[in-house]
Amino acid sequence: MRLSTRNQLAGTVTEVTVGAVMATVKLRLDGGGQQVTASITREAVEELGLTVGSTAIALVKSTEVMIGVEE
């Protein structure tokens, strides 16, 4: 699969919490131990076969990024 999305974060699924319609997937990123959490549909979790230990890629596409600093 080739994608135009430049922000691709590879990692391992550490947690999947499935609700009636939506699910939360936590991904531990390779090379640093940081974590990304995504809300996706339950159907997507099932279609992708996401389970704890699965490898996956978080694709980030945004038109806005905010940065904050302590005062």
Side-chain angles (χ1 to χ4, degrees), residues 2-10 57-62:
R2 292 175 33 186
L3 299 169
S4 64
T5 306
R6 297 295 180 234
N7 300 315
Q8 299 182 21
L9 308 170
I57 300 172
L59 304 168
V60 181
K61 187 73 173 174
S62 177

Side-chain angles (χ1 to χ4, degrees), residues 23-68:
T24 302
V25 179
K26 293 187 179 184
L27 188 68
R28 186 183 65 244
L29 302 181
D30 294 345
Q34 293 178 317
Q35 183 172 276
V36 171
T37 302
S39 295
I40 63 175
T41 64
R42 176 184 183 151
E43 183 178 18
V45 168
E46 293 168 358
E47 287 178 2
L48 294 171
L50 295 174
T51 59
V52 171
S54 299
T55 57
I57 300 172
L59 304 168
V60 181
K61 187 73 173 174
S62 177
T63 58
E64 183 175 322
V65 175
M66 295 181 198
I67 298 174

Side-chain angles (χ1 to χ4, degrees), residues 12-32:
T12 302
V13 176
T14 59
E15 185 177 325
V16 179
T17 305
V18 179
V21 177
M22 297 297 292
T24 302
V25 179
K26 293 187 179 184
L27 188 68
R28 186 183 65 244
L29 302 181
D30 294 345

